[in-house]
Amino acid sequence: MPIYVDNREYPAAPEKNLLEHCLSLGLNLPYFCWHPAMGSVGACRQCAVKQYRDERDTEGRIVMACMTPAAEGLRIGLDEPEARDFRARVIEWLMVNHPHDCPVCEEGGECHLQDMTVMTGHNYRRYRGLKRTHRNQYLGPFLNHEMNRCIACYRCVRFYQDYAGGDDLRAFASHHHVYFGRHEDGVLESEWSGNLAEVCPTGVFTDKPFSKHYVRKWDLQSAPSICVHCGHGCNVAAQERYGRLRRVVNRFNGDVNGYFICDRGRYGHGFVTAPTRVRAPLLRTGNRELEAVGVDEALHAASEMLAGRVIGIGSPRASLEANFALKRLVGDDAFYMGVGGPDAAALEAVHAIRTETATRAPTLIDVENADAMLVLGEDVASTAPRMALALRQATRNRQKAIASGLGIPAWLDQPVRTAGHGQLSPLYVATPVPTRLDAIAAGIFRGSADEIARLGFAIAARIDARAPGVDDLTRDVSELAARIADALASASRPLVVSGVSIRSVAVLEAAANVALALGAKLGRPADLALALPECNSMGLELLGARSLDDALEHAERQPIRAAIVLENDLARRMPRAALERFGERVEHLIVVDHTLHATARAADLVLPAAAFAEGDGTLVNNEGRAQRFFQAYVPDGEIRESWRWLAELARRRGIECGWASLDDVIADCAASSRRLAPIVDAAPGARFRIADRRIAREPARYSGRTAMHANVDIREPKPPEDPDTPLAFSMEGYYGPRVPPALIPFFRAPGWNSNQSVHKFLDETGRALRGGNPGVRLVEPGADARRAYFEARASLPPSGDALRVVPLADVFGSDELAALSPPVAERIPEPCVVLGPADADARGIVDGMTAEIELGETSLALPVRVVPGLAAGTLGVPIGLPGMPFIAAETAKVGGRGTAGDPR
Amino acid sequence: MIDERSIAAAKRAQTSERTRSESWLWSQVAVLLSQIRSMAEVFLHGFRRRETIQYPEEKPYLAPRFRGRIVLTRDPDGNERCVACYLCAVACPVDCISLQKTEDETGRWYPEWFRINFSRCIYCGLCEEACPTYAIQLTPDFEMSEYDRRNMVYEKEHLLISGTGKYPGYSFYRVAGRAIGGKDKGEAENEAPPVDVRGLMP
């Protein structure tokens, strides 16, 4: 279908608007309120073009490109004087109240408003009246607020409220007084608030932690990276200046994270620069404290410690290469995954489901396209926030379907909402505790893990009679199961979501059974999304390792000379008593990590490992997508990538790996297993060049090259060499639209300095980067699916006085590394247990009271929060919050000798 | 056989030989005259006003806009003018300026540190042109030679002067709409008082 822009013919698709078309065609058309993820509202009047009836029409009329669908033979004028003038006037009018404080604005240099002002040619202020001003608000540790800069495009509330479901950011007042903020000063509650800094086209909302050590975008050295704070594997860019990681921003990948990342990912990088950071090898001699030593001394001590039987404990938060290097060092039999107990069992179950059943791990786009969803057991909003945001979008698919029936295109945001009358695609949430998705759920089920599993098995049996069911369900539960089963079975793109944070193999198998039953009905593998807690949980499973419990058993069986712990705090993985026993059985503990945690403090030798922004590697996300992250800068001190330390230790143990660069490790790792073979293709190797040039990590405008080191040495140092990647630590090199998608260090295009420039790198559909979204999927369904259904094995255990423990995840507190980041730490709640009202009454407990909680062998005094809606007989216990011990107990007793705290 | 044409050619050759020798003679005379004139001019210069001065005992006059040593100035209230916007650094063609922004408790931006490597500086003045606050200025001072290049690295304490430099009246924060200590919202030039967002009046 052709359209004509300035009398030139271009191909067009009817489902897109003119603005999208112009941008996809590489034409520069200014806009503000339109956002590719949020559609058009036509609020800012900036994308005006002239539309003509036919080739004889010389008059034409001004239309808004974002509100006009493309049609057969449509003729528009982008360059018409009248349209140009209109756009310049709109900018001039928007700038009437702008405070002219660009030099002290964090958005300056990556400001969409600056770009658009330059693009329209408005350069001289004619208005002589007074500027309206606003007072700012305190919005919490993540965002600065500077309302004077607002141009009232409404993007912030459309994202925060309409897209992410937050309800504490609104538009206030009217006409040119309109104000975007909270009803009063306070922390923005949504875990998506950080995106406002990227969504806002000007500097109203800016990144507060970044502002504390602010530099301009053109001065940041960037590298493509992967978020390490949950298993979703969002693509981010890690950005550095003067040897310090400054910020993390979203990096578009349509299959994983699209335009948004959560606040845990955006602000969690503070652990890299936290005081807990290890920057030099630490050695304990005798019974003294750990002391910083040189590399030679540390390696010499290590080779002595390694003379004998050695075991290696891997980590789900270390790269595939690091884990593989450790496996090579200690041998397959002595390599254990750094996860034990119920967590390891759940991971094993995920591995079995992923590799043995005909279920498919959906991409982000698949999740957003689902038309009926079941969340089984997992508080996705807390454990895989990006997936929860996609589920939120998926619930709007019914509105889009209704609107489409009326001929309203999906990008016309407000009419779609009006036509949809608030109707939502069915989302069923079955979790032990209330979640933030409950508000948009069609049905909610509360119960312990076993009750949720039984519900899941019942749903599967209802969808496909061959699936094993459960009897003795109560009438309510079986009715709900039937309702959910019917909704899923009648959908064309159903989706089942579960995860490991509930620590129940039965729940995972029930979720798999539902997906299998749906698959049998659909005749193709159905989508099953499984949320994993850490950035490489899936990779570690695919690499193959035994549980941490086996390592303890190994140590019990025979004394061990040394245990090498890779990027792992065992105090978060096993009970204290077991850890102490393990310490007794192991003569030397060597820790390779970037952070000084409890395990590192107890070690005899700590080798400083590179954090995600300081090294390269491959991570496998919960979709089974292998993605490469790249080093953004060379850190100070003796920091090296874990695999380099381990290869050196291996060499001293007489194992020659022959690894000179990352590519060698990747090649060996890929050769070690059939499933891991595709990881080589996750990104181009170190020898990749464009026109004989590496890809520049620094923008062409990078400043201060001859002054930044001048206080140390007057001669400019040679840029560090990078043997591992095709990127250069320099402004010299290629940067432009031909950079392969996996290697794009930052987004910028001529005239487009803000992150809106991403559209210059997208293919025509706007769903993928040109050249395909980065990453390779390692697990595709059906290849060797041999399992039909899992046995329904959840029988309800006798309920006595004890309460069933359900693990509580917190979006900010549950991740070990993000919790070390100061802004995130401010948002972590105090640990407290959660109890239903009936159970609380039965024990004489009121909200806010501190009670003695017996969890197996450990006993804790924690405040109790009484939450209506929590299933009877369950106790929510926070897992992984700072200060909480490892808890594996399945049941708990709440002691009667509670002390009255301050009831809330 | 001798025809008329060849005779004519031979005659022409003779004539040109003669004219060539004549013109050579005249040119020698011209050279001589020119040399005499030059000597006379040099001689006359001995009685003119001297342009050469006895530097360093005597200092030359340099215009205020001469592009020499770079300074950081203060605003009329005595506060640092530099707001650490990084525009000088990015404008610098030899990348010899680097700095780091920080902020005081009232929200005023200033550089935590500011460094110019004068051993790289080419005194082009682009930093001054880029500066939105008149903070960075080039001065009529060029006497900064050093035996050691390291002494050409100037930090903020070496750059910051106590005056306003060439632009006495200007203060960036009186114009820009960002509130800082001593200047609230609505108190900058051409600003209306802050809006009451709960007001119901149209």
Side-chain angles (χ1 to χ4, degrees):
Chain A
M1 185 185 87
I3 59 168
Y4 299 89
V5 182
D6 292 330
N7 290 323
R8 281 185 60 188
E9 188 182 320
Y10 293 99
E15 69 274 5
K16 292 209 285 184
N17 60 51
L18 288 179
L19 176 60
E20 276 181 280
H21 274 304
C22 289
L23 296 175
S24 317
L25 295 169
L27 305 168
N28 288 339
L29 180 57
Y31 64 89
F32 286 112
C33 65
W34 177 79
H35 188 284
M38 293 183 277
S40 313
V41 287
C44 72
R45 318 312 283 171
Q46 186 59 65
C47 59
V49 293
K50 232 166 171 200
Q51 185 183 345
Y52 297 96
R53 271 198 315 279
D54 48 42
E55 59 265 50
R56 289 188 305 279
D57 181 7
T58 51
E59 289 281 307
R61 62 193 177 99
I62 295 270
V63 295
M64 294 307 130
C66 73
M67 301 299 279
T68 313
E72 176 82 41
L74 191 79
R75 306 187 82 87
I76 55 168
L78 217 62
D79 245 352
E80 295 299 317
E82 206 180 328
R84 292 184 74 91
D85 189 51
F86 187 98
R87 298 197 294 258
R89 296 292 172 91
V90 169
I91 278 275
E92 184 173 10
W93 161 64
L94 289 175
M95 294 293 283
V96 155
N97 290 315
H98 201 68
H100 292 69
D101 60 351
C102 299
V104 290
C105 174
E106 292 89 342
E107 195 81 357
E110 51 179 324
C111 178
H112 190 56
L113 179 60
Q114 279 180 339
D115 288 348
M116 296 301 103
T117 308
V118 172
M119 196 175 286
T120 53
H122 166 63
N123 55 12
Y124 187 76
R125 182 177 173 82
R126 296 188 292 172
Y127 178 69
R128 290 281 167 265
L130 297 182
K131 295 176 192 172
R132 72 97 179 89
T133 59
H134 277 304
R135 295 217 173 272
N136 303 330
Q137 286 180 331
Y138 167 79
L139 297 178
F142 294 155
L143 288 175
N144 281 326
H145 192 219
E146 186 64 51
M147 251 317 284
N148 281 0
R149 297 173 185 148
C150 183
I151 56 165
C153 69
Y154 280 77
R155 266 190 182 188
C156 51
V157 285
R158 284 171 60 217
F159 171 76
Y160 193 89
Q161 197 178 320
D162 298 351
Y163 194 88
D167 56 4
D168 58 336
L169 182 86
R170 293 283 163 103
F172 296 91
S174 58
H175 53 95
H176 74 302
H177 288 175
V178 69
Y179 186 91
F180 299 92
R182 299 185 82 248
H183 70 293
E184 59 181 16
D185 283 26
V187 177
L188 279 176
E189 287 158 11
S190 168
E191 65 273 22
W192 295 99
S193 63
N195 289 287
L196 294 177
E198 288 195 30
V199 164
C200 176
T202 172
V204 177
F205 301 96
T206 48
D207 186 327
K208 197 177 207 170
F210 178 50
S211 176
K212 293 212 172 86
H213 50 208
Y214 178 74
V215 291
R216 298 270 173 219
K217 181 182 177 181
W218 60 66
D219 281 342
L220 288 163
Q221 176 167 264
S222 309
S225 194
I226 305 296
C227 180
V228 292
H229 300 294
C230 84
H232 195 80
C234 293
N235 289 207
V236 295
Q239 308 193 310
E240 173 265 3
R241 176 76 172 170
Y242 304 138
R244 190 187 158 100
L245 183 61
R246 297 293 166 128
R247 69 168 175 182
V248 157
V249 291
N250 180 62
R251 180 167 63 92
F252 184 90
N253 181 334
D255 283 337
V256 180
N257 54 306
Y259 292 90
F260 308 112
I261 55 170
C262 72
D263 290 355
R264 190 205 277 188
R266 186 180 300 273
Y267 300 108
H269 62 83
F271 76 92
V272 177
T273 43
T276 46
R277 194 62 208 282
V278 188
R279 296 193 176 274
L282 305 173
L283 181 65
R284 190 190 308 278
T285 34
N287 280 331
R288 290 187 304 195
E289 292 291 297
L290 285 169
E291 274 174 23
V293 295
V295 173
D296 290 341
E297 195 181 334
L299 287 171
H300 184 72
S303 39
E304 274 180 12
M305 290 177 194
L306 292 177
R309 194 184 305 279
V310 180
I311 63 164
I313 294 172
S315 168
R317 66 171 164 86
S319 70
L320 212 47
E321 290 81 357
N323 278 304
F324 179 70
L326 181 60
K327 198 173 180 181
R328 175 64 68 87
L329 166 63
V330 298
D332 291 1
D333 298 335
F335 179 68
Y336 299 93
M337 72 164 143
V339 185
D343 299 315
L347 280 181
E348 296 281 356
V350 169
H351 185 238
I353 291 167
R354 279 285 168 252
T355 54
E356 292 172 17
T357 68
T359 57
R360 184 173 169 279
T363 65
L364 185 83
I365 295 169
D366 297 327
V367 175
E368 284 181 350
N369 282 340
D371 55 358
M373 295 138 281
L374 167 66
V375 177
L376 209 60
E378 185 81 357
D379 178 7
V380 208
S382 298
T383 60
R386 188 64 190 89
M387 199 191 293
L389 188 67
L391 286 173
R392 201 172 272 284
Q393 308 322 309
T395 55
R396 288 198 58 225
N397 283 336
R398 173 164 292 172
Q399 295 176 8
K400 287 181 183 162
I402 293 168
S404 147
L406 298 169
I408 302 168
W411 46 263
L412 217 46
D413 192 63
Q414 211 53 46
V416 169
R417 286 174 198 276
T418 312
H421 275 289
Q423 293 190 56
L424 296 173
S425 299
L427 164 70
Y428 292 93
V429 179
T431 51
V433 285
T435 75
R436 288 187 292 285
L437 286 177
D438 292 356
I440 49 166
I444 297 166
F445 177 76
R446 291 279 112 85
S448 67
D450 291 327
E451 286 164 330
I452 291 169
R454 284 157 60 85
L455 173 74
F457 286 121
I459 295 168
R462 168 91 187 193
I463 295 169
D464 183 2
R466 284 166 295 176
V470 280
D471 16 85
D472 66 283
L473 283 176
T474 62
R475 190 147 160 249
D476 288 352
V477 177
S478 65
E479 269 172 18
L480 180 67
R483 196 145 63 87
I484 298 173
D486 295 345
L488 291 172
S490 60
S492 55
R493 295 178 306 278
L495 169 69
V496 185
V497 180
S498 187
V500 299
S501 79
I502 194 170
R503 289 173 157 177
S504 164
V505 174
V507 167
L508 286 164
E509 291 180 352
N513 271 13
V514 178
L516 288 167
L518 287 168
K521 194 161 178 65
L522 292 167
R524 60 173 167 85
D527 286 345
L528 170 66
L530 298 175
L532 299 175
E534 276 158 292
C535 57
N536 203 19
S537 298
M538 193 67 201
L540 189 61
E541 270 300 333
L542 292 175
L543 192 62
R546 280 174 295 148
S547 159
L548 192 56
D549 303 334
D550 295 340
L552 303 185
E553 208 177 279
H554 190 160
E556 252 349 290
R557 214 167 49 236
Q558 48 197 188
I560 288 171
R561 170 80 178 162
I564 303 176
V565 177
L566 169 69
E567 301 187 30
N568 208 336
D569 181 7
L570 298 182
R572 293 175 64 90
R573 313 286 187 185
M574 55 169 135
R576 183 173 297 161
L579 189 59
E580 279 164 9
R581 177 74 192 143
F582 182 64
E584 284 165 18
R585 298 292 296 171
V586 173
E587 208 172 325
H588 295 292
L589 187 62
I590 301 175
V591 171
V592 184
D593 206 347
H594 42 68
T595 298
L596 198 65
H597 42 60
T599 310
R601 282 197 199 93
D604 298 308
L605 175 67
V606 184
L607 295 172
F612 72 103
E614 301 160 347
D616 318 290
T618 310
L619 300 173
V620 185
N621 76 352
N622 53 23
E623 182 201 332
R625 179 183 291 265
Q627 306 187 96
R628 187 97 9 102
F629 62 95
F630 292 97
Q631 187 173 6
Y633 63 103
V634 180
D636 292 337
E638 296 298 345
I639 294 165
R640 296 181 191 178
E641 285 143 314
S642 297
W643 68 262
R644 285 213 149 88
W645 284 119
L646 295 168
E648 180 59 31
L649 294 184
R651 199 179 64 75
R652 283 168 187 253
R653 258 195 117 204
I655 305 162
E656 201 55 64
C657 303
W659 296 332
S661 72
L662 184 77
D663 284 355
D664 301 336
V665 195
I666 293 172
D668 273 9
C669 184
S672 72
S673 136
R674 183 179 57 81
R675 285 230 182 256
L676 292 176
I679 64 166
V680 180
D681 303 323
R687 278 202 287 272
F688 176 83
R689 296 285 183 278
I690 292 180
D692 253 4
R693 301 198 300 169
R694 287 171 177 264
I695 288 145
R697 282 184 172 92
E698 297 165 2
R701 292 175 184 165
Y702 194 77
S703 79
R705 192 171 40 85
T706 65
M708 54 208 276
H709 305 290
N711 57 332
V712 182
D713 187 359
I714 190 70
R715 288 175 291 269
E716 285 91 47
K718 183 184 171 211
E721 288 188 8
D722 188 351
D724 297 328
T725 78
L727 298 143
F729 293 108
S730 165
M731 59 209 278
E732 288 173 24
Y734 179 81
Y735 177 79
R738 279 161 61 208
V739 179
L743 295 177
I744 299 173
F746 54 90
F747 288 107
R748 194 198 161 271
W752 298 80
N753 298 294
S754 75
N755 56 14
Q756 306 290 318
S757 55
V758 65
H759 71 73
K760 297 277 181 193
F761 293 81
L762 296 183
D763 72 0
E764 226 183 313
T765 63
R767 283 290 171 89
L769 290 161
R770 212 174 288 131
N773 284 323
V776 281
R777 281 166 64 101
L778 302 181
V779 188
E780 288 294 352
D784 44 5
R786 49 203 152 99
R787 196 186 282 270
Y789 282 109
F790 290 97
E791 279 308 307
R793 60 169 173 162
S795 56
L796 274 184
S799 56
D801 185 31
L803 294 162
R804 311 290 304 167
V805 170
V806 290
L808 290 183
D810 180 71
V811 66
F812 295 114
S814 294
D815 180 58
E816 176 190 357
L817 299 179
L820 294 169
S821 182
V824 174
E826 266 187 61
R827 297 290 308 274
I828 299 175
E830 286 298 310
C832 63
V833 293
V834 177
L835 205 55
D839 290 320
D841 282 349
R843 287 165 180 77
I845 289 173
V846 293
D847 193 40
M849 194 182 254
T850 301
E852 200 74 22
I853 318 288
E854 274 178 46
L855 291 151
E857 287 153 18
T858 44
S859 175
L860 296 167
L862 284 174
V864 182
R865 206 156 52 87
V866 178
V867 170
L870 197 72
T874 57
L875 176 76
V877 179
I879 296 294
L881 286 195
M884 283 291 292
F886 176 82
I887 293 156
E890 288 178 4
T891 56
K893 279 188 178 161
V894 176
R897 47 193 189 89
T899 49
D902 337 308
R904 263 172 281 174
Chain B
M1 176 182 134
I2 300 165
D3 63 358
E4 285 178 19
R5 248 185 299 173
S6 49
I7 292 167
K11 275 186 180 171
R12 268 203 307 277
Q14 272 177 1
T15 326
S16 80
E17 187 83 4
R18 202 163 48 236
T19 37
R20 208 180 296 148
S21 59
E22 276 168 21
S23 66
W24 177 83
L25 194 68
W26 278 116
S27 73
Q28 289 306 300
V29 172
V31 165
L32 193 66
L33 284 175
S34 149
Q35 281 171 345
I36 290 167
R37 196 190 64 196
S38 303
M39 284 163 71
E41 273 182 16
V42 169
F43 180 73
L44 283 174
H45 267 299
F47 301 98
R48 293 235 179 103
R49 196 171 69 83
R50 284 180 189 167
E51 291 295 341
T52 313
I53 58 160
Q54 290 304 310
Y55 181 82
E57 286 77 24
E58 205 180 328
K59 305 285 185 194
Y61 168 75
L62 296 177
R65 296 197 323 187
F66 180 89
R67 299 196 310 263
R69 179 171 58 90
I70 298 170
V71 294
L72 290 175
T73 60
R74 293 176 186 273
D75 67 16
D77 306 322
N79 295 314
E80 279 177 48
R81 259 180 181 156
C82 176
V83 297
C85 71
Y86 295 95
L87 287 184
C88 51
V90 72
C92 180
V94 290
D95 287 345
C96 75
I97 305 177
S98 87
L99 64 148
Q100 174 57 52
K101 172 251 168 185
T102 189
E103 205 174 302
D104 71 6
E105 62 285 354
T106 66
R108 188 185 175 111
W109 286 27
Y110 65 97
E112 186 184 349
W113 52 268
F114 195 108
R115 183 181 307 134
I116 299 182
N117 180 356
F118 280 111
S119 75
R120 287 289 186 196
C121 180
I122 56 168
Y123 304 94
C124 64
L126 288 184
C127 50
E128 184 174 9
E129 256 181 66
C131 183
T133 67
Y134 292 139
I136 196 164
Q137 296 180 15
L138 277 76
T139 62
D141 173 20
F142 56 87
E143 296 171 311
M144 33 192 327
S145 319
E146 298 280 353
Y147 285 106
D148 189 343
R149 263 181 81 199
R150 280 175 293 184
N151 295 336
M152 302 286 279
V153 178
Y154 281 41
E155 298 289 339
K156 189 166 106 175
E157 61 263 34
H158 310 125
L159 296 164
L160 197 61
I161 64 167
S162 50
T164 56
K166 286 174 270 188
Y167 306 95
Y170 186 73
S171 171
F172 170 74
Y173 280 108
R174 285 188 203 154
V175 181
R178 189 179 164 94
I180 53 158
K183 192 209 78 178
D184 200 5
K185 290 277 175 195
E187 292 177 2
E189 281 173 19
N190 282 329
E191 277 192 350
V195 166
D196 173 16
V197 290
R198 291 187 168 75
L200 293 172
M201 297 303 283

